[in-house]
Amino acid sequence: MKYSWSALREDTFGGMTAAVVALPLSLAFGVASGLGAIAGLYGAIAVGFFAAVFGGTKTQISGPTAPLAVAMSVVVTSYADNLAEALTIAIFAGIIQILLGTLKLGSFVAYTPYPVISGFTTGVGAIIILVQSIPFLGSEVALGGPLESVRRWPEALANIEISSLTLALITVAVATFWPARLRKLLPPTVAALVVGTLMGTFWLSGAHTIGEVPTGLPRPELPAISLDTLIGALLPAVTIALIGSINSLLTALVGDSMTGGDHNPNRELIGVGLGNVLAGLIGAIPGAGATTATAANIKAGGRTRVSGVLCAMILLALVLGIGRYVDTIPHAVLAGILMKVGFDIVDWRYLRRFRFVQREQFVVMILTLGFTVFVDLVIAVAIGLIAAAMASARQFERLELDRVISVPLLDMTFLGPPEDLDADFDPFSARVGMVALRGTFTAASSKRLITTLSLDIREHKVVILDFTDTVYMDESAALVVERMVDVAHEEGTECIVMGLGGVAETSLEALEVLRRVPEDRFVETLDDAREVARRLL
């Protein structure tokens, strides 16, 4: 498809709008990460450019995001004495993302259950609010995370700096109540940044500012490469890689819903991973798909990768000469912007509707939220995924057990009229039973299956195991079938296997589950099963 002048015009508007939206957020996230405002801008340039050129979506704008800023703040705090090791983790995370994309695992990353995502993002929002509450009141950010910030509240409240508090409140008010008719001309975060900075410059000049910010091109930082460093970096790097990947792929879905496009998740991870490797090399914070900037780009007309490239180039141009203007921005203004961001990313809809969601899923969300805020981001993601898997297993257990049919077959109706059988035949007995496994069966239902069906098997002289409508069966469920055959053998009950084929046959044959069942007991239809049952009886 040819690229036209009209497409360039739309992409230019989209890229410029996205850059305006990304500028204040990149500065704020850079400060929140502990690496400084310029690190946020460098991250927006590096990740934004590489994700736009090599990524899997045409309209996505990538750069620093709240979850990654919080994750990096934990890393920076942990490696405060050796910044090179902290940046090595960012590089390592980018490499992991590239591997995820190369191995075509991008689609699986998007399978992270929503309660885990909701709990994590809500936790990140809570962390941002708690951490920024200290500069909001005019004190310096408390190192040590949200709990340390809470411990510093009495001191901060006793030493409130009125100028900073006033600027922070004005910034939040502007970001919240900026008129809708003006948002196309100036996004709320940019308006809040401009108004807050002007107020701090010409009126409330006593507030602390972010100070001198370096300009020009970044200086490459050599990573700290050693076996001990790489081993220690593995867990936080995996966490940052997964957080960034989920963030990017969810933002890509948002972009698809707005444009009707279809992104390539594996290519997207490769593009973002390349950007994060470069970000780590130049001392920037890692990034991911930025939902706000992406939406702004699309609404302004951006439809191709050119808009993302232009956004990164505009930010680069600003970096080369913006330093003398940025250093006058008060900390309280950035704290106000971040407080609004933290409030917005809390999943209020899920929290408001907690009475109507499944109890197990809400527990997963709260568990992930609690570990995110009070323990550790790494542990929170791991615990959340484990809890979600357990909750899903319980749900699958119910669904799978509902698809099991175990019924007695009356001799009179199944085996035929009495005159065709032995003289001592009781037409009202049910010597034959049928167990039909319909649908999918996994480890989730294996324990309950064997407990329930073993009792039914013992009541019959012949049992028909019906696999006609079995769609899928994993190894755990296959071993349940083996246990059913063993129970039948112990009780002297004969087994007939009906309709075996497909994935179920593969799983059962792989473990030799039906080795005790003679070859002449395998049938295709119920009529065939009837003939075998008559012969056995």
Side-chain angles (χ1 to χ4, degrees):
M1 184 178 68
K2 292 184 178 180
Y3 190 73
S4 63
W5 282 105
S6 62
L8 176 60
R9 183 177 65 252
E10 292 175 346
D11 285 336
T12 301
F13 287 142
M16 291 175 62
T17 304
V20 170
V21 172
L23 176 63
L25 294 179
S26 298
L27 292 169
F29 291 142
V31 172
S33 71
L35 291 174
I38 196 66
L41 285 174
Y42 286 155
I45 296 166
V47 182
F49 179 82
F50 276 89
V53 175
F54 301 105
T57 176
K58 296 179 180 179
T59 56
Q60 182 152 299
I61 304 297
S62 298
T65 63
L68 287 176
V70 171
M72 276 305 295
S73 70
V74 175
V75 172
V76 171
T77 301
S78 302
Y79 293 87
D81 297 332
N82 194 338
L83 192 58
E85 291 188 10
L87 295 175
T88 300
I89 291 174
I91 296 171
F92 203 180
I95 294 173
I96 292 172
Q97 288 181 309
I98 295 171
L99 290 175
L100 289 174
T102 304
L103 297 174
K104 300 189 183 303
L105 299 177
S107 300
F108 295 100
V109 173
Y111 293 158
T112 303
Y114 181 75
V116 177
I117 297 172
S118 175
F120 181 81
T121 55
T122 300
V124 168
I127 289 174
I128 290 175
I129 292 172
L130 293 175
V131 171
Q132 295 303 316
S133 63
I134 301 300
F136 197 91
L137 298 172
S139 300
E140 293 186 1
V141 174
L143 299 178
L147 294 181
E148 182 61 28
S149 297
V150 172
R151 282 192 285 266
R152 287 275 303 277
W153 278 354
E155 179 185 346
L157 289 171
N159 298 280
I160 293 177
E161 188 179 81
I162 299 301
S163 297
S164 295
L165 179 60
T166 304
L167 283 176
L169 291 173
I170 291 172
T171 301
V172 172
V174 173
T176 304
F177 301 109
W178 188 247
R181 64 180 181 277
L182 299 178
R183 295 191 177 194
K184 290 185 177 180
L185 299 175
L186 201 62
T189 51
V190 179
L193 179 68
V194 172
V195 172
T197 302
L198 290 176
M199 296 283 284
T201 302
F202 298 106
W203 181 36
L204 302 167
S205 56
H208 298 294
T209 63
I210 65 176
E212 184 179 355
V213 175
T215 58
L217 297 175
R219 185 179 63 183
E221 300 281 348
L222 294 177
I225 300 177
S226 67
L227 183 60
D228 291 339
T229 301
L230 294 179
I231 293 175
L234 180 60
L235 189 56
V238 168
T239 302
I240 290 175
L242 290 178
I243 293 170
S245 299
I246 294 169
N247 197 336
S248 290
L249 296 180
L250 290 178
T251 302
L253 291 175
V254 173
D256 288 347
S257 67
M258 296 178 68
T259 63
D262 185 19
H263 74 281
N264 183 330
N266 298 310
R267 182 175 173 181
E268 182 63 27
L269 293 188
I270 292 174
V272 174
L274 289 171
N276 284 332
V277 170
L278 178 60
L281 289 173
I282 61 176
I285 66 173
T291 307
T292 306
T294 298
N297 174 45
I298 294 171
K299 289 179 180 179
R303 288 297 181 272
T304 74
R305 301 177 188 278
V306 174
S307 60
V309 173
L310 286 175
C311 175
M313 293 298 99
I314 292 170
L315 291 176
L316 176 60
L318 292 174
V319 165
L320 295 178
I322 201 176
R324 60 183 181 274
Y325 304 109
V326 171
D327 59 6
T328 60
I329 298 175
H331 273 296
V333 172
L334 294 180
I337 291 174
L338 286 172
M339 289 283 262
K340 179 62 168 62
V341 170
F343 184 86
D344 287 343
I345 68 174
V346 170
D347 194 349
W348 296 110
R349 182 182 64 174
Y350 199 92
L351 292 173
R352 285 196 303 266
R353 304 288 295 175
F354 78 94
R355 291 175 297 172
F356 306 100
V357 301
Q358 296 179 28
R359 183 179 59 184
E360 294 92 341
Q361 301 300 323
F362 186 69
V363 169
V364 171
M365 187 270 188
I366 294 298
L367 196 63
T368 307
L369 167 61
F371 273 90
T372 299
V373 176
F374 299 110
V375 183
D376 184 79
L377 297 176
V378 178
I379 297 175
V381 173
I383 295 295
L385 290 173
I386 293 171
M390 295 174 65
S392 297
R394 289 195 61 184
Q395 183 65 27
F396 288 145
E397 179 186 51
R398 301 189 193 102
L399 294 174
E400 292 174 11
L401 289 174
D402 288 343
R403 300 289 291 170
V404 177
I405 297 176
S406 179
V407 294
L409 302 175
L410 281 176
D411 291 357
M412 181 174 61
T413 57
F414 178 68
L415 296 176
E419 57 268 24
D420 293 341
L421 299 172
D422 298 335
D424 59 350
F425 171 65
D426 180 1
F428 298 102
S429 66
R431 291 178 293 173
V432 181
M434 183 170 70
V435 176
L437 303 177
R438 298 178 177 177
T440 298
F441 296 92
T442 64
S445 60
S446 58
K447 185 177 183 297
R448 291 283 298 277
L449 272 177
I450 188 60
T451 302
T452 304
L453 297 180
S454 293
L455 297 174
D456 294 343
I457 291 171
R458 291 186 174 97
E459 296 177 354
H460 304 290
K461 293 185 177 181
V462 177
V463 63
I464 301 171
L465 303 177
D466 183 10
F467 298 98
T468 304
D469 297 319
T470 304
V471 176
Y472 174 79
M473 177 179 290
D474 68 3
E475 285 74 10
S476 297
L479 292 176
V480 169
V481 175
E482 181 181 46
R483 179 58 185 151
M484 291 163 57
V485 174
D486 290 342
V487 169
H489 183 76
E490 293 167 3
E491 298 294 324
T493 301
E494 303 290 348
C495 288
I496 300 173
V497 178
M498 185 175 78
L500 185 62
V503 177
E505 182 177 15
T506 302
S507 298
L508 295 175
E509 287 185 350
L511 299 176
E512 297 182 327
V513 166
L514 301 175
R515 61 187 179 280
R516 284 190 168 185
V517 181
E519 289 292 333
D520 61 349
R521 309 285 176 82
F522 289 81
V523 298
E524 293 296 327
T525 65
L526 190 59
D527 290 334
D528 296 335
R530 180 184 293 110
E531 293 303 318
V532 175
R534 288 167 62 93
R535 173 167 54 82
L536 293 174
L537 293 170

